[in-house]
Amino acid sequence: RPVEGIYLDEAQVDQVADLAEQAASIGIRVHTLARGVLEKVTDTVTPQPVLAVVPITTTTIDQLEPGLVLVLAEVRDPGNAGTLLRTAEASGCTGVVLAGEAVDPFNPKTVRSSAGTVLWVPLVVDPDIGHALLSLSSHGFRTRGTTMEGGTPYDEADWGAPVALVLGNEAHGLDPAQLAEMDDLVSVPMAGTAESLNVGVAGAVLCFEALRQRRAQGGHPRGPIYDEPMTSGPSEGADAN
């Protein structure tokens, strides 16, 4: 993402002098803040000595590239959302859709939990889950819901074709009506007595199984395993990915 400006804590300028010089050399505005100001404009107790401002950027479903798209349906915890954004980028997902009353992906806690990957993964925000799923289906994605029981074991499912993997709310999972609309369902078999997995952990298990299958079959880590190309424009963040 283009950087609009960086802000430095005057008490710690020496620690980031090289960064400030590099930024200024390519036309990025560098501002030095008086002591204590940085703490007031951020929401951390002990912020880093440099803060960068970048534009918020989202995309649309018709711009997502084929592959595995992660759909967060009413996932509301910023820590979980940030973890899933980080997982999506690391496992080669081509986009993340935050649907329904999901947390703001640019919530400060979400941004920090994502370890910066919120700036790399193409993001779609749609307040209507039904609309998001219909749009994904119309663009060639197979909608795959997650359920605690009754679904195909995750390692027996085929992750080669373009798939929209739908994860539900932390407390309630996916609504039964939403599950009924999915093309198929997957579950993570468990050996212990725990009722369910944390949504971030479950998402990681599923995303990396998809990556394992793509790698095993010689597919590109960030792409599907199929021969016919989908007619879809590239996402804004495709080159960076």
Side-chain angles (χ1 to χ4, degrees), residues 35-212:
R35 298 189 182 202
V37 174
L38 202 60
E39 286 85 344
K40 293 181 179 179
V41 299
T42 63
D43 70 341
T44 55
V45 176
T46 307
Q48 298 293 318
V50 58
L51 176 151
V53 176
V54 299
I56 289 176
T57 305
T58 58
T59 187
T60 55
I61 286 174
D62 62 324
Q63 293 180 301
L64 295 178
E65 294 182 351
L68 178 64
V69 169
L70 192 59
V71 182
L72 310 186
E74 300 194 343
V75 172
R76 297 175 184 173
D77 181 80
N80 285 334
T83 296
L84 288 165
L85 285 165
R86 189 173 183 178
T87 296
E89 200 282 330
S91 62
C93 290
T94 57
V96 174
V97 179
L98 291 102
E101 297 181 8
V103 66
D104 179 1
F106 302 103
N107 175 303
K109 291 182 179 179
T110 306
V111 172
R112 288 199 302 276
S113 296
S114 79
T117 54
V118 68
L119 302 178
W120 291 93
V121 180
L123 293 176
V124 177
V125 178
D126 192 330
D128 187 329
I129 296 174
H131 176 268
L133 296 178
L134 284 173
S135 183
L136 285 161
S137 293
S138 69
H139 286 87
F141 289 92
R142 184 174 186 83
T143 57
R144 177 165 293 164
T146 52
T147 181
M148 288 189 293
E149 55 184 23
T152 301
Y154 74 100
D155 53 347
E156 296 178 12
D158 179 8
W159 297 92
V163 170
L165 173 61
V166 188
L167 301 173
N169 174 266
E170 293 91 342
H172 309 294
L174 292 171
D175 185 274
Q178 296 165 355
L179 288 172
E181 296 296 322
M182 301 292 169
D183 292 320
D184 59 53
L185 303 175
V186 292
S187 299
V188 178
M190 296 185 293
T193 58
E195 182 182 61
S196 64
L197 293 174
N198 168 273
V199 67
V201 173
V205 169
L206 297 168
C207 286
F208 278 94
E209 170 60 19
L211 175 60
R212 186 195 67 79

